[in-house]
């Protein structure tokens, strides 16, 4: 196999779960709520999705279950952060620890089982394009959908009335209210959608990417996604860049070692974070990020 | 709305009450004859405890310890309590005190981070026998060490891999370059080279013990590079085995017998075995405890090779078993010189057999390995 193809396949595989959680959390943050709980949503999505996939042998049901489970964690985050006015960072952390325990407990029976249904649907002709064909057109449905996801989020958030409403809640909720809409309901919906998309990322990771469930398998990817939202300056189309940058760094971590490139192993292990930090630095100096007002209040004070 | 929320909170706390009740009970009630100092360590105990850093079903190190607990229950007729996810800090002292108060008078700490605290508890409870898995200087009185060495077994895995590979390209997924992992990589490679001078070993470190995503990326890229055998030194090997199965290549396990995960993909693994311990513990229970400080592999029956996978042909099994016999007889020695490092420098001179202390100090990779420790 072409080596660039190898790297790109790893990039897409490692980037897709992040892409889902990242786009989801971006919608939530545009409505003014940061959901560190996307880590928890990914975990329950991965665990419950894999369990349903194994028992029913149906990927459709698995995705539906993961959406529901991830959305439920999103709902808890919404309840705590919106109705109970808890610190949204703290509630996100607590939900992560809660789901770690919960999935470790319910995932016990899934540690030794397999779900080996072939999920790849190569598109005719397109998948035979050299180099990029196998990368872009020989994937599973969840990955195909992820290619469209940030574009769809961009369209909804910037081109529709619904998107305007979501963003207005994150900027000036009193204006939303004056126009006769309940900001609370919109925030709830945005945070639940963030959880659902993160759940989809989780089930992609367990059923498609690693083909297994193991304890705490998300391993901080949800937090990374949440942080990458800032890297994207809350602009949905940049989600492609951020998620695949992280995926590329993970792919390179392995590739450089396989090829015996004389770079210290510890430097390659830093790569995912180094690249992300570098990109963060570049973006935050070159242009004022379009941070939603409600989040500005949290990070810089009123 | 507000009142409803308060009712909700009340209801929630009522639901949680039974959970709290489970924690009640006097933690320091004192087990049978605890602390009276007249008993030898472990004498007459009906309970033992194993303290794990992870969960028992990880198909790695902790699962291996769990399998050993079952062997202890079967052969010693005692109950073995397993404490999972115990942090490597002072909390372990409280957990050990609680276990002792419940009557566990044989205690096995499995992680290095427990040992300092274990020594404190051991000093307070001279009637309890402690068996450390990691190698340590604390050994003495009621604190014994039973350290399984892995180089012989990984060498055998290398022999198996060298005979089994068809592409002469073997991948190793390391975690973090600590002594055990470095020893394993070198022993594995020396085993391969002893039977197959054409085979290449490529090492990748993930920097983590159980990141399923990085394991998948590593396995896929190694297979893309031509590897037909993957050897992981990771805590959980499930995703490596699944990836290998889906790509039609074969995999070793690590520190546990996970044959049942996929008998066709599975080759073998280095596993703990209780055979070496059981006699010591039987003596302890009979009141004849002696401090033990044992380190070794199948010579002292602390480590062994796991079951072979279904796809390993009989002639390869015979050859591996023959090498095993040679190691037991002392005819073969894993790190016997001459051994060169990656740069071609002579590290162990011709005929020299380094002692285990020297083997654990190795901080280089043997000639013929693609990979870096820097």
């Amino acid at each position: 196999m072409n080596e660039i193809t190898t790297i790109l396949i790893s990039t897409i595989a490692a980037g897709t779960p992040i892409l889902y959680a990242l786009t989801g959390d971006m919608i939530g943050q545009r409505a003014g709520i940061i959901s560190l709980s996307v880590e928890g949503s990914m975990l329950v999505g991965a665990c419950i999705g894999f369990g349903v996939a194994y028992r029913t042998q149906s990927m459709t049901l698995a995705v539906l279950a993961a959406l529901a489970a991830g959305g439920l964690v999103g709902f808890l985050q919404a309840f705590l952060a919106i109705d109970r006015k808890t610190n949204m960072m703290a509630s996100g952390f607590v939900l992560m620890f809660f789901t770690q325990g919960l999935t470790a407990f319910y995932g016990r029976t899934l540690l030794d089982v397999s779900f080996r249904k072939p999920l790849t649907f190569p598109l005719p002709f397109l998948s035979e394009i050299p180099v990029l064909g196998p990368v872009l057109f020989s994937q599973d449905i969840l990955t195909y959908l992820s290619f469209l996801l940030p574009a769809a989020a961009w369209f909804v958030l910037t081109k529709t009335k619904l998107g305007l409403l979501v963003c207005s809640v994150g900027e000036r909720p009193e204006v939303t209210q004056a126009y006769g809409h309940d900001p609370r309901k919109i925030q709830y919906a945005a945070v639940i959608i963030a959880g659902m998309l993160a759940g989809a990322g989780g089930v992609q990771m367990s059923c498609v990417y690693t083909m297994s469930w193991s304890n705490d398998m998300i391993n901080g990817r949800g937090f990374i996604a949440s942080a990458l939202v800032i890297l994207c300056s809350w602009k949905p189309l940049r989600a492609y860049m951020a998620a695949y940058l992280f995926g590329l760094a993970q792919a390179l971590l392995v590739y450089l070692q396989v090829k015996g490139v004389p770079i210290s192993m510890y430097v390659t292990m830093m790569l995912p974070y180094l690249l992300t930090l570098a990109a963060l630095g570049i973006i935050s100096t070159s242009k004022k990020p379009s941070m939603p007002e409600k989040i500005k209040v949290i990070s810089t004070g009123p | 709305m507000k009142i409803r929320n308060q009712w909700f909170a009340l209801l929630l706390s009522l639901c949680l009450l039974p959970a709290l009740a489970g924690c009640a009970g006097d933690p320091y009630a004192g087990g049978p004859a605890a602390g009276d100092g007249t008993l030898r360590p472990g004498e007459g105990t009906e309970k033992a405890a194993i303290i794990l850093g992870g969960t028992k079903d990880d198909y790695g190190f902790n699962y291996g310890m769990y399998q050993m607990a079952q062997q202890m229950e079967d052969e010693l007729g005692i109950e073995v309590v397993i404490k999972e996810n115990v942090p490597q800090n002072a909390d372990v002292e409280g957990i050990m005190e609680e276990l002792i108060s419940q009557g566990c008078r044989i205690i096995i700490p499995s992680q290095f981070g427990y040992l300092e605290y274990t020594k404190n508890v051991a000093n307070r409870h001279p009637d309890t026998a402690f068996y450390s898995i990691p190698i340590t200087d604390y050994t003495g009185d009621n604190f014994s060490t039973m350290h399984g060495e892995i180089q012989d077994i990984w060498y055998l895995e290398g022999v198996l891999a060298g005979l089994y590979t068809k592409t002469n390209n073997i991948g190793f997924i390391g975690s973090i370059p600590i002594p055990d992992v470095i020893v394993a990589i070198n022993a594995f490679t020396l085993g391969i080279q002893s039977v197959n001078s054409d085979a290449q070993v490529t090492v990748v470190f993930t920097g983590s013990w159980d990141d399923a995503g990085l394991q998948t990326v590593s396995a896929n890229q190694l297979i893309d590079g031509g590897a037909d055998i993957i050897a992981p030194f990771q805590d959980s090997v499930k995703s490596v085995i699944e990836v290998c199965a889906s790509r039609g290549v074969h995999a070793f396990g690590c520190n546990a017998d996970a044959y049942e995960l996929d008998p066709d993909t599975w080759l073998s693994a280095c596993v703990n075995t209780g055979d070496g311990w059981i006699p010591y513990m039987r003596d302890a229970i009979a009141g004849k405890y002696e401090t033990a400080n044992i380190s070794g592999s199948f010579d002292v029956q602390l480590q062994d090779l796991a079951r072979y996978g279904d796809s390993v042909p009989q002639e390869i099994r015979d050859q591996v078993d023959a090498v095993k016999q040679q190691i037991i007889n002392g005819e073969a020695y894993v790190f016997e010189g001459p051994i060169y490092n990656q740069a071609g420098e002579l590290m162990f001179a011709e005929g020299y057999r380094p002692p285990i202390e020297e083997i654990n100090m190795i901080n280089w990779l043997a000639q013929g390995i693609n990979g870096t420790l820097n």
Side-chain angles (χ1 to χ4, degrees):
Chain A
M1 199 183 286
N2 186 312
E3 300 202 343
I4 296 172
T5 309
T6 298
I7 296 180
L8 289 180
I9 287 179
S10 298
T11 302
I12 299 278
T16 301
I18 307 259
L19 190 59
Y20 270 104
L22 168 54
T23 313
D25 192 30
M26 189 181 291
I27 295 170
Q29 293 201 20
R30 286 301 278 262
I33 304 289
I34 300 172
S35 308
L36 288 183
S37 60
V38 289
E39 172 86 11
S41 293
M42 286 179 90
L43 257 179
V44 293
C47 180
I48 291 176
F50 189 75
V52 170
Y54 164 66
R55 289 200 210 293
T56 64
Q57 293 293 311
S58 157
M59 194 59 198
T60 316
L61 290 179
V63 173
L64 290 176
L67 288 173
L72 193 64
V73 174
F75 171 77
L76 289 175
Q77 166 75 355
F79 174 71
L80 292 169
I82 300 166
D83 271 354
R84 309 309 298 160
K85 303 251 181 302
T86 54
N87 180 314
M88 56 183 81
M89 302 292 180
S91 61
F93 269 112
V94 169
L95 282 171
M96 177 205 62
F97 287 122
F98 167 61
T99 50
Q100 271 181 2
L102 192 75
T103 52
F105 181 70
Y106 285 108
R108 284 236 133 134
T109 52
L110 302 176
L111 289 161
D112 57 348
V113 300
S114 302
F115 174 64
R116 290 189 181 159
K117 208 169 161 187
L119 297 168
T120 314
F121 293 96
L123 300 182
F125 307 117
L126 287 174
S127 59
E128 276 144 45
I129 300 171
V131 185
L132 286 181
V135 179
L136 296 177
F137 304 112
S138 185
Q139 297 283 5
D140 63 294
I141 305 262
L142 273 176
T143 308
Y144 286 134
L145 285 176
S146 77
F147 292 154
L148 306 174
L149 187 65
W154 168 79
F155 181 78
V156 172
L157 283 176
T158 60
K159 302 285 169 203
T160 65
K161 194 173 166 231
L162 180 69
L164 190 67
L165 270 176
V166 171
C167 297
S168 72
V169 175
E171 305 285 345
R172 293 272 186 278
E174 55 279 8
V175 176
T176 322
Q177 198 148 25
Y179 274 86
H181 297 283
D182 185 355
R184 190 177 142 266
K185 278 188 187 151
I186 296 170
Q187 281 188 325
Y188 255 94
V191 175
I192 290 172
I193 286 173
M196 288 168 75
L197 288 179
V203 73
Q204 199 274 346
M205 177 137 179
S206 63
C207 288
V208 182
Y209 174 26
T210 67
M211 295 181 282
S212 62
W213 159 254
S214 59
N215 284 337
D216 197 18
M217 66 183 294
I218 301 302
N219 212 351
R221 285 173 176 76
F223 289 141
I224 302 272
S226 210
L228 287 176
V229 175
I230 305 167
L231 165 64
C232 301
S233 307
W234 294 270
K235 291 187 166 59
L237 289 178
R238 291 193 187 171
Y240 291 114
M241 178 200 70
Y244 293 136
L245 191 65
F246 189 82
L248 176 69
Q250 289 219 326
L252 283 179
L253 187 163
V254 176
Y255 181 80
L256 294 177
Q257 294 190 68
V258 170
K259 289 294 149 195
V261 178
I263 294 178
S264 168
M265 180 181 77
Y266 298 100
V267 174
T268 57
M269 282 176 196
M270 286 194 298
L271 264 182
Y273 310 99
L274 198 68
L275 280 183
T276 311
L277 272 177
L280 257 176
I282 292 165
I283 283 191
S284 55
T285 51
S286 66
K287 212 158 138 206
K288 189 171 149 275
S290 49
M291 185 187 272
E293 283 295 324
K294 291 299 278 180
I295 291 176
K296 223 176 261 178
V297 172
I298 298 159
S299 55
T300 56
Chain B
M1 185 66 197
K2 203 151 213 172
I3 291 173
R4 222 171 62 203
N5 279 334
Q6 278 161 358
W7 277 111
F8 176 71
L10 187 70
L11 213 80
L12 193 72
S13 28
L14 279 176
C15 295
L16 288 174
L17 265 181
L20 281 175
C23 315
D26 190 352
Y28 295 102
D36 63 15
T38 56
L39 290 173
R40 304 271 305 142
E43 183 174 349
T45 188
E46 288 166 1
K47 272 179 162 184
I50 295 184
I51 300 177
L52 300 179
T55 51
K56 68 179 183 213
D57 35 21
D58 63 354
Y59 283 98
F61 177 79
N62 294 307
Y63 184 64
M65 295 301 296
Y66 169 67
Q67 287 174 326
M68 213 169 67
Q70 289 182 316
Q71 188 181 358
M72 284 168 67
E73 289 196 334
D74 291 345
E75 296 189 19
L76 296 172
I78 58 174
E79 182 191 342
V80 181
V81 180
I82 294 176
K83 280 279 176 190
E84 299 169 88
N85 282 327
V86 177
Q88 296 181 45
N89 57 30
D91 289 357
V92 73
E93 276 199 53
I95 289 169
M96 285 184 181
E97 290 287 356
E98 194 184 320
L99 288 166
I100 292 170
S101 75
Q102 289 168 6
C104 297
R105 290 200 299 109
I106 289 179
I107 291 189
I108 302 170
S110 71
Q111 296 288 333
F112 190 80
Y114 301 146
L115 299 184
E116 192 185 336
Y117 311 104
T118 308
K119 187 64 183 169
N120 297 340
V121 182
N123 288 339
R124 287 200 292 272
H125 296 276
D127 61 348
T128 302
F130 293 82
Y131 292 91
S132 162
I133 307 270
I135 203 158
T136 166
D137 296 337
Y138 292 130
T139 312
D141 299 328
N142 57 339
F143 193 110
S144 292
T145 300
M146 297 262 179
H147 176 69
E149 288 168 13
I150 57 173
Q151 70 271 15
D152 295 348
I153 318 292
W154 275 97
Y155 184 82
L156 293 181
E157 289 182 39
V159 172
L160 198 168
L163 295 170
Y164 192 90
T165 179
K166 293 193 175 63
T167 60
N168 285 337
N169 186 332
I170 295 159
F172 191 107
I173 303 177
S175 45
I176 297 163
I178 59 168
D180 266 4
V181 178
I182 298 173
V183 166
I185 295 169
N186 283 322
F188 183 64
T189 307
L190 292 171
I192 293 169
Q193 289 168 349
S194 73
V195 291
N196 183 342
S197 53
D198 297 327
Q200 292 274 323
V201 182
T202 304
V203 179
V204 171
F205 287 97
T206 62
S208 147
W209 286 101
D210 55 2
D211 190 299
L214 278 175
Q215 288 176 0
T216 307
V217 171
S218 306
N220 272 324
Q221 289 202 17
L222 288 166
I223 297 166
D224 285 348
D228 66 346
I229 293 176
I230 302 290
F233 203 114
Q234 298 272 334
D235 266 356
S236 162
V237 297
K238 180 77 197 317
S239 47
V240 173
I241 288 181
E242 285 298 319
V243 171
C244 289
S246 77
R247 307 266 325 241
V249 304
H250 297 272
F252 286 98
C254 183
N255 289 333
D257 188 342
Y259 166 87
E260 67 245 45
L261 281 183
D262 189 332
D264 288 324
T265 304
W266 177 258
L267 290 174
S268 190
C270 173
V271 290
N272 287 322
T273 138
D275 296 349
W277 308 45
I278 300 282
Y280 287 90
M281 292 186 190
R282 189 172 283 132
D283 282 356
I285 295 170
K288 292 179 285 187
Y289 176 89
E290 293 289 340
T291 309
N293 189 1
I294 295 165
S295 182
S297 58
F298 30 63
D299 47 342
V300 289
Q301 292 181 301
L302 289 181
Q303 298 271 299
D304 207 343
L305 204 58
R307 270 176 288 180
Y308 292 114
D310 290 353
S311 68
V312 182
Q314 191 57 44
E315 59 264 37
I316 293 183
R317 296 179 189 209
D318 292 342
Q319 263 175 287
V320 175
D321 290 341
V323 177
K324 177 177 171 181
Q325 202 52 48
Q326 285 172 3
I327 294 176
I328 294 174
N329 298 340
E331 294 161 37
Y333 191 83
V334 173
F335 284 98
E336 181 168 327
I339 292 176
Y340 298 88
N341 69 5
Q342 281 175 309
E345 294 157 340
L346 184 66
M347 302 312 286
F348 294 131
E350 173 102 44
Y352 177 61
R353 291 185 171 193
I356 184 65
E357 293 79 16
E358 215 169 315
I359 291 172
N360 282 332
M361 300 279 278
I362 292 175
N363 58 359
W364 39 264
L365 294 178
Q367 200 168 36
I369 299 177
N370 302 322
T372 172
L373 288 181
N374 297 311

